[in-house]
Amino acid sequence: RLFSADWLARTFDMEVVVLIRHPAAFASSLKVLNWNFGFGNLAGQKSLIHDHLYPFKGKIEEFASRPPGIIDQAVLLWNCIHHVAWKFKEMHPEWLFVRHEDLSSEPVDEFRKMFEKLGLDYNPDMEKKIRRSTGANNPAEQASKKNFRVHSEANIKTWRKRLNRSEIDRIKAGTSPIASHFYDE
């Protein structure tokens, strides 16, 4: 939905929140779920390539015809998504850009701030739900596809256990030009 966020905002006068995810955490999630991405879908969207993903056109076409391993897929997909996010951040200072790690490390305060910026009602019931969904009594990793309660602060670090040093190094090298806009060392 990010790729159409600008159109959605203009067409429906929507408030836009863009959630930024650490590249290693993103890759780790794809790896643990064994989610491959069909780059043929992107390669076939000529206007999307022309308008937003032109820096990645060659790689997208290459990956569409010869899919690499999941880590390399994750790097390219993360770069495509976050290149557009960075572009939109420069074009739309009125949009809200939130890092997943910030929400996870301080969920009550960060959600309260987000609700205020969006003009939404933040009440004790909402805070209770946030605490219940993100508290330390929850597991560090999602227990099932239906249970979204996790200890959000512990969950931030799960990628360090799921990825080996070689994978982490490849992710860092492959995403650092774009990741540097959202994360420091």
Side-chain angles (χ1 to χ4, degrees):
R1 294 186 180 79
L2 174 70
F3 297 144
S4 57
D6 188 49
W7 177 84
L8 288 167
R10 281 184 283 110
T11 304
F12 300 104
D13 194 31
M14 295 176 119
E15 298 281 341
V16 176
V17 177
V18 178
L19 185 64
I20 306 300
R21 185 102 190 272
H22 189 279
F26 176 79
S28 164
S29 291
L30 296 185
K31 178 183 176 182
V32 78
L33 294 169
N34 197 30
W35 281 356
N36 288 282
F37 184 78
F39 284 92
N41 182 21
L42 292 182
Q45 297 184 53
K46 301 304 179 196
S47 62
L48 176 61
I49 299 283
H50 178 268
D51 294 345
H52 299 295
L53 301 180
Y54 49 87
F56 310 103
K57 183 179 188 279
K59 275 285 186 205
I60 289 169
E61 290 170 349
E62 175 188 333
F63 284 21
S65 63
R66 290 182 311 282
I70 205 150
I71 297 299
D72 293 323
Q73 289 179 43
V75 167
L76 179 57
L77 186 56
W78 190 93
N79 280 333
C80 289
I81 292 167
H82 291 79
H83 166 77
V84 173
W86 177 249
K87 191 172 157 181
F88 283 160
K89 188 173 184 182
E90 291 182 332
M91 291 170 47
H92 297 287
E94 73 280 10
W95 290 7
L96 186 57
F97 291 81
V98 183
R99 294 187 323 174
H100 178 268
E101 296 75 22
D102 297 334
L103 280 176
S104 294
S105 63
E106 297 289 336
V108 172
D109 291 338
E110 291 298 319
F111 273 102
R112 183 183 297 117
K113 285 188 235 176
M114 187 166 49
F115 273 55
E116 287 172 9
K117 288 178 183 176
L118 295 170
L120 299 172
D121 181 36
Y122 187 89
N123 56 52
D125 286 339
M126 183 59 63
E127 185 169 320
K128 185 178 176 181
K129 289 177 184 176
I130 291 168
R131 287 185 188 281
R132 188 173 50 233
S133 296
T134 64
N137 56 323
N138 295 319
E141 295 199 50
Q142 188 174 332
S144 73
K145 291 182 180 183
K146 295 180 182 180
N147 180 8
F148 290 98
R149 293 182 181 185
V150 295
H151 178 200
S152 62
E153 191 169 11
N155 183 260
I156 297 170
K157 301 171 186 139
T158 57
W159 63 266
R160 294 179 178 141
K161 297 175 196 164
R162 294 176 179 168
L163 300 171
N164 63 44
R165 173 54 36 205
S166 172
E167 291 169 330
I168 293 169
D169 290 344
R170 281 182 21 232
I171 293 162
K172 184 176 180 180
T175 61
S176 63
I178 296 169
S180 65
H181 295 295
F182 301 106
Y183 297 95
D184 55 25
E185 277 298 314

